[in-house]
Amino acid sequence: KGYSPFVTELDAALTTRGKSLSAALPNSTRFSNISDEALEAFDFINIMAYDATGPWRPSTSGQHSSYSFAQKGIDFWKNTVGIEGVKLTLGVPFYGYTFTSSTEASSFTYGSMVELNSSNAELDQIGNSYYNGRPTIKNKVNLALNNNVGGIMIWELGQDSFTEFSLLKTIHEEVESRTAEKIGCQ
């Protein structure tokens, strides 16, 4: 009830100081306490296109951050809610979940998966462990670029592999490649 008035008041105070306001919101849920005015106050919205399942729902094992889940999130915020693409950033995970039973699941970092075997960087699943490898992250970067989304948001940088298999490096290289393509076409 008090969320939207707080957001608009905070935005007014931040604007006078030259500061921006952002929010991280669920992939395809707009809570009823977020008014149109509050949405307009955000300079950008981070789409949390991850955690479709996890330890809170261990009986539903599977990919928590699929490409199609990211597509659904962009579509929801752009076309259902009506937020312009430039104000949206697509969230990508640098972690995953292992479903050990129908009552237990736990998280792990992408970096730990690569440390086990560098070839895991090219996969999204090892047994009952689900995450985003480099090909999926690359595809999500292109999804964001093709949908004119303002950028990519990472949860959480410290979970990356600080090697040549880095997801941050993958994101950077894909953006650079696409930028070079655009310049070459002009």
Side-chain angles (χ1 to χ4, degrees), residues 98-165:
T98 299
F99 295 86
T100 52
S101 72
S102 64
T103 59
E104 187 177 346
S106 58
S107 64
F108 61 88
T109 69
Y110 167 79
S112 68
M113 191 58 71
V114 171
E115 194 173 296
L116 288 174
N117 187 328
S118 62
S119 66
N120 292 343
E122 306 309 315
L123 304 172
D124 289 336
Q125 178 184 356
I126 304 295
N128 291 326
S129 298
Y130 301 86
Y131 60 101
N132 284 183
R134 292 190 314 171
T136 297
I137 293 297
K138 181 178 177 177
N139 288 336
K140 286 182 177 182
V141 168
N142 284 299
L143 175 67
L145 293 170
N146 293 338
N147 282 279
N148 298 314
V149 173
I152 295 287
M153 182 267 294
I154 298 162
W155 188 264
E156 180 274 317
L157 192 57
Q159 298 173 334
D160 199 3
S161 171
F162 301 101
T163 67
E164 67 269 24
F165 303 104

Side-chain angles (χ1 to χ4, degrees), residues 6 9-10 13 23 56 65 68 104 112 160 176 178 182:
F6 169 75
E9 186 177 325
L10 179 60
W56 56 92
S65 184
S68 63
E104 187 177 346
S112 68
D160 199 3
E176 290 273 310
R178 287 287 302 270
K182 274 187 168 178

Side-chain angles (χ1 to χ4, degrees), residues 19-184:
K19 305 287 183 186
S20 61
L21 180 63
S22 68
L25 298 176
N27 191 59
S28 55
T29 301
R30 177 183 174 180
F31 295 113
S32 60
N33 65 338
I34 303 176
S35 68
D36 289 343
E37 294 78 23
L39 285 175
E40 184 60 35
F42 295 125
D43 294 290
F44 60 95
I45 295 170
N46 296 304
I47 303 169
M48 296 188 300
Y50 41 77
D51 289 350
T53 190
W56 56 92
R57 197 178 303 131
S59 61
T60 309
S61 66
Q63 183 53 261
H64 77 101
S65 184
S66 67
Y67 180 84
S68 63
F69 192 63
Q71 285 177 307
K72 182 179 177 185
I74 290 172
D75 181 62
F76 175 78
W77 286 102
K78 277 184 78 175
N79 301 319
T80 303
V81 179
I83 304 297
E84 58 187 308
V86 71
K87 287 183 71 168
L88 298 172
T89 57
L90 178 63
V92 296
F94 282 17
Y95 65 94
Y97 293 112
T98 299
F99 295 86
T100 52
S101 72
S102 64
T103 59
E104 187 177 346
S106 58
S107 64
F108 61 88
T109 69
Y110 167 79
S112 68
M113 191 58 71
V114 171
E115 194 173 296
L116 288 174
N117 187 328
S118 62
S119 66
N120 292 343
E122 306 309 315
L123 304 172
D124 289 336
Q125 178 184 356
I126 304 295
N128 291 326
S129 298
Y130 301 86
Y131 60 101
N132 284 183
R134 292 190 314 171
T136 297
I137 293 297
K138 181 178 177 177
N139 288 336
K140 286 182 177 182
V141 168
N142 284 299
L143 175 67
L145 293 170
N146 293 338
N147 282 279
N148 298 314
V149 173
I152 295 287
M153 182 267 294
I154 298 162
W155 188 264
E156 180 274 317
L157 192 57
Q159 298 173 334
D160 199 3
S161 171
F162 301 101
T163 67
E164 67 269 24
F165 303 104
S166 164
L167 293 178
L168 181 60
K169 180 180 177 184
T170 300
I171 292 168
H172 175 77
E173 288 173 351
E174 191 59 23
V175 170
E176 290 273 310
S177 169
R178 287 287 302 270
T179 302
E181 281 177 24
K182 274 187 168 178
I183 292 170

